Amino acid sequence: MAERAGAASEATPTARAAKAGIAPLPGASASATPSVTVSTPIPAAAAGAVAVKANELGQIPVLMYHRIMKKPELSLDRSSKELYDELTGLAKDGYHPITAAEFVSGRIDVPAGRHPVVLTFDDSTPGHFGLDPQGNPAPDTAVAVIEQVARENPGFRPVATFYLNKELFGMDDTRAAAGLGWLRQHGFELGNHTVSHPSLSGMSEKGVHKEIGDMEDRIVRLTGTHTTTFAYPFGAVPKKKAWAEKQDGRYAFQGIFLAGWRPSISPFDADFDRWNIDRVRSEGKIKENDCTKYCSTAWLEYLDKNPDERYTSDGDPNTVTFPKAAEDRIAKRYRGFARMY
C-alpha cells in the first residue's frame, strides 16, 4: 500500500503534533487535543512569546514560482539570480521555510520571532531540479539555489513544494524515480498539478478525475507515496470543488492552492479554508498584473512595514500565541492550544 506523501520528511515527534488539525500525526493520540469550549479562558502567553510579539494568527506568504532560468523568456519566468536574491532577502528578514503539507496541517515548527514562508514551484520544469553526474543538484536549478541560500544563512531551512506535471523536470521514468526519491529524502514535498496542466473550470467530473488521478497514479508508481496537496493549474476551480479534493482510491488531498494574489491567512484562523489557499506570484514591483501591489516584492515589503499583520512564531509548536485583539479569530479546534497576551 502506498504511504501518504512526505511522511518520511514531515513526521515530527508526538510532542510537536499539538497543532495538527486535519489528521493525527504519526504517533499522536486523540487525547493529545485538549477539550475546551469557547467560554474556557485562554491562558497567558509565555514571556518569551510576548518578548518577540508572537502572532500566530498573522498572514503567511505562500510564494508561487514557475520556470527558473538563467535568462527569463516569459513573463512568469524568474532567473536563478532573482530566485537567489529573493530567498536571501527572506533569510535576512527572518523567514523560515515550511512545506505546503506542513502548512495546511498546522505543523508549523518555527523558531521564536521568525516567520514561516512556503515556497511552491509549479509545472516541474527542468530549471526546478536535476542531478549532476555526482548525484548533486544541478547548478542554477531551484533546488541548488535553495540549498546555497541555506548554507549561506544558517537557520534557513532548505525545503519547498514542487507541483508536478507529466514532464517531471524533463526526466524519463527511471531518472524521475531517482530524482523524486532524492527530493523526498532531502525534505522536499511533492504535490499534484495534473497531467497536462489544463484549466479544470470547464471540465467534466470524469475529466477532472482523469487529469488529477492519472498524475497521482504516476507519482505513486514512481515513489510509492501519495501526494498531500494540490495546486490548481491557472488557479482555475472546477464546477464542483469536491471533484478535485478527492476521488476514492486514487487521491485525497489535505489542502488545495490557488494562483494569486495575496498571502494566506493562518491555518489557525477560523476563516482559513484549506480548499482555497491563496498564493503570491514571485515578481518585482512591475506594472504587469498589478505586481506593483500584488506580487512578492510588494507583499513582502508590506508585511515588513506592517509586522503586526505577519505570522510571527512563539517558538513552541505545542501552542498558538496571539495578541488579545485577535482572540475572536482563533479557530475553535485550536482554542485548546491558544495562549494570549
Side-chain angles (χ1 to χ4, degrees), residues 5-6 26 41 81 91 99 103 119 122 172 187 191 200-201 204 216 218 237 244 248 258 260 263 274-275 280 329:
K81 184 181 186 304
T99 67
F103 169 73
L119 310 176
D122 289 8
D172 59 29
L200 300 182
S201 62
S204 66
E216 190 73 9
R218 188 178 180 199
V237 180
D248 290 344
L258 302 172
R274 63 188 174 111
W275 303 121
V280 176
R329 290 169 42 207

Side-chain angles (χ1 to χ4, degrees), residues 47-56 113 307-308 310-313 321 323 341:
V50 177
V52 298
K53 298 182 179 181
N55 179 14
E56 296 185 315
D308 58 315
R310 178 172 57 185
Y311 186 117
T312 298
S313 175
T321 298
Y341 63 97

